[in-house]
Amino acid sequence: MRHEIALRVGPVGFRIGSDWGGPIAAVRQLYAGYPAPDGGVPDMTVRLYAERPWRRFVRPSVAISGDFWLPDAAPLPLAQGLLAAEMGMNLQVALGWRRHLLLHCSAVERDGRVLLMSGASGSGKSTLATLLAMRGWRFLGDEFAFVALEDGRIHPFPRASSLKNEAVAAVQMAGGMVGPVLAGTPKGTIGYWRPPVDAIARMAEAAPPALLLFPRFGRPEQVERLAASETFMLLTQASTNYVALGEAGFAALTRLVQGVPSLAVDYPDGEAGLRLVETLWGGL
Amino acid sequence: MKAARLLVSALRDPATVAGLSADDWTMLLTAARAERLIGTLAYRLDMRAVPPAVARILADAREGAVEERRAALWEAEMARRALAPLGLPLVLLKGTAFAAAGLDAGQGRSIGDLDILVPRAAIDEAERALRAAGWEPIKEDAYDDAYYRRWMHELPPLIHRDRDRMIDVHHTILPPTARPTPDAAALLADAVPLGDGGLAMLSPADIVVHAAAHLFADGDLAGGLRNLWDIDRLLREQDDPAYWVTLRERARRHQLSTEVARAVRLSASLYGTPISPDWRGANPLDPLYRRRLLVRDGWGRQGRSFTRLGFYVRSHWLRMPPLMLAGHLWTKATKKG
């Protein structure tokens, strides 16, 4: 392909190719300081391409594909090329990665132990992880938690946090630098928050999980303990590769839900969310 | 294309990967994934002889293939249970058959759908039994459904509502509209039982005839490198010289002599399959087929769009008489506008 970049985030080496220079330049800027793939051989390939040759120039729109089959992801306008690259990276990991159990979770670490937060889009898991990382927690990622199959530890995957809509302002108000910001995407406004240098430098350092939260933003404050069996079912739905891993996935998920307390947490706003997290963490 | 060539030579002679650069490895692995041959490659290569980053990727591919094989065999067992009341042997086709029989062709092979063969007379009964056991049609469209039932060699694909796995129920191995008419009764009559569990597969000659039919008489050769690899492995497992005589007879009987001969020649030329001397020879069209098979580039894309377009047009031409094709394409083009 005409333009390309290769980089590594946590354990995953990516190669992104594009028919246009723009998306690659945006990726290069957002991922400045990330290392190259191990041994120069990326684990996954993402392709950003024009569906027809003339669409490189006329109403250019970025189609996404890669090593692993994608459900029809609609092409994006060229101005949203960075989002296309991010979606491509996400989808490849979701569909093809099998060295860890993947959970759709954000993760931060303090005192050598990891806090996992799972939930649907809009639950606030990215925002909470970002705000916590701005208060001294180590940022491990806002999208996927990589659970080691052999010992259950959480491996960092510290890509830029992707903040949607009101979360952009919430992080900016807390003093965070958000950029670039893409307006009018299929998911509304998306802003990227770059992880601190320390999070990138320590992205090979795994840590054991200590607490699992299912946050829900915008509801009266409430904390409810979940049974291990219930958490198990919730996490099979939050895992993209649980089925593909077979017995190894079952063993890893069983260990996680048996070893880590799990709570459903409702909170009305960001401040209340942070306070709740700190309280719960302090009570461990 | 360089990536496709790297892949073919790595499969044919694993020693050729010695000294590949990181970029060559990247191209090779990407092409192997796109051709759904990465699991096979992982079984062929010596993990100790490849760079660590490559070994990790290949180990993943190997585990993925093990898991796919397990799921495929389980799916076959589910179909066997659903169809048991019909009292027919369940004839497995393609990947699932290779895996169930423990053939070399099944080593690391990617297996998607479950393909089975049942007698035409029993197809309605088979469909009823499968639907009662949780398989559901995926084609909602009435034209597509009627088209399949009237003109295809299989039922409209069914998908299991809990396991999300697809089954293709064939009553023969080529569409009835295609010019060759394979002898479906003979395929079934000579099927070989797999153990005593009620599963069966095609005879050793028919299995190659089917693979060749699938590759050259049905479709546009997309995924052809893997189909040809199946043929290479299947032929290598036959060491009886009489096999080649049987293969010729069966190919003739199924009206697929040209396709089988081409499959044998191309398998020998790309993968170095040892073949019987009287199957050698050259055909002026073979280079065009080779060219089509080797379109994959280092980004996993298919190049040579002009060659591919030719084979795409050919695939429709092969499947249907021209007037019918015109009518079909007209309906397809107008109904969704």
Side-chain angles (χ1 to χ4, degrees), chain B residues 8-78:
Chain B
V8 166
S9 51
L11 288 169
R12 176 179 178 155
D13 176 9
T16 60
V17 302
L20 288 186
S21 69
D23 285 349
D24 285 341
W25 273 116
T26 302
M27 284 205 279
L28 165 58
L29 293 171
T30 306
R33 232 179 229 142
E35 293 286 343
R36 300 181 69 195
L37 274 163
I38 194 163
T40 306
L41 186 67
Y43 273 89
R44 286 287 286 163
L45 298 185
D46 178 357
M47 297 287 190
R48 291 160 302 180
V50 305
V54 174
R56 279 195 290 272
I57 293 167
L58 292 176
D60 291 345
R62 229 174 137 131
E63 277 164 35
V66 169
E67 206 48 44
E68 261 188 48
R69 174 194 162 88
R70 202 183 56 79
L73 293 179
W74 177 247
E75 204 57 26
E77 171 59 17
M78 290 293 96

Side-chain angles (χ1 to χ4, degrees), chain A residues 99-170:
Chain A
R99 275 172 233 166
H100 303 82
L101 175 69
L102 287 187
L103 300 175
H104 190 54
C105 279
S106 65
V108 288
E109 177 253 44
R110 197 162 78 182
D111 305 328
R113 298 191 303 167
V114 175
L115 165 67
L116 296 170
M117 290 176 281
S118 179
S121 187
S123 63
K125 63 182 185 324
S126 289
T127 320
L128 278 177
T130 306
L131 294 173
L132 288 165
M134 288 164 56
R135 297 184 173 203
W137 295 62
R138 175 161 70 109
F139 181 80
L140 304 191
D142 83 317
E143 185 77 32
F144 292 117
F146 282 57
V147 184
L149 297 173
E150 62 281 5
D151 61 11
R153 296 200 304 160
I154 309 300
H155 288 254
F157 185 60
R159 291 183 29 218
S161 192
S162 124
L163 304 166
K164 291 172 201 87
N165 303 316
E166 307 89 61
V168 174

Side-chain angles (χ1 to χ4, degrees), chain B residues 101-183:
Chain B
L103 298 178
D104 275 357
Q107 279 261 307
R109 192 184 190 276
S110 144
I111 307 173
D113 310 338
L114 171 61
D115 294 276
I116 62 169
L117 181 68
V118 301
R120 173 131 217 187
I123 200 134
D124 292 336
E125 216 185 332
E127 184 178 7
R128 271 196 299 278
L130 290 170
R131 289 175 81 148
W135 276 273
E136 295 170 342
I138 50 167
K139 297 247 177 202
E140 293 298 326
D141 186 281
Y143 175 79
D144 286 344
D145 189 79
Y147 175 82
Y148 259 94
R149 286 174 198 282
R150 177 136 187 234
W151 298 118
M152 289 299 282
H153 51 304
E154 57 191 320
L155 287 175
L158 299 166
I159 195 158
H160 197 275
R161 66 166 168 253
D162 302 325
R163 294 190 304 279
D164 206 27
R165 302 273 303 192
M166 198 133 84
I167 188 168
D168 284 327
V169 184
H170 303 248
H171 54 77
T172 181
I173 54 174
L174 279 181
T177 48
R179 259 140 280 175
T181 308
D183 184 342

Side-chain angles (χ1 to χ4, degrees), chain A residues 1 3-5 15-19 38-47 49 67-68 96-99 149 243-247, chain B residues 21-23 25-27 29-31 33-34 51 53-54 56-65 67 70 296-301:
Chain A
M1 304 202 73
H3 306 273
E4 65 173 288
I5 183 172
R15 173 176 66 144
I16 305 160
S18 169
D19 283 347
D38 256 356
V41 182
D43 300 289
M44 315 203 141
T45 289
V46 174
R47 300 184 298 251
Y49 64 101
D67 289 323
F68 300 97
W97 191 256
R98 38 182 317 122
R99 275 172 233 166
L149 297 173
V243 173
L245 290 177
E247 196 180 340
Chain B
S21 69
D23 285 349
W25 273 116
T26 302
M27 284 205 279
L29 293 171
T30 306
R33 232 179 229 142
V54 174
R56 279 195 290 272
I57 293 167
L58 292 176
D60 291 345
R62 229 174 137 131
E63 277 164 35
E67 206 48 44
R70 202 183 56 79
R296 198 64 71 171
D297 76 5
W299 284 90
R301 298 172 301 179

Side-chain angles (χ1 to χ4, degrees), chain B residues 2 80 83 92 96 103 126 129 193 223 251 286 291 295 302 329:
Chain B
K2 190 183 175 196
R80 186 197 67 74
L83 296 173
L92 304 174
T96 314
L103 298 178
D286 284 356
R291 192 178 152 79
V295 295
Q302 302 199 75
L329 292 179

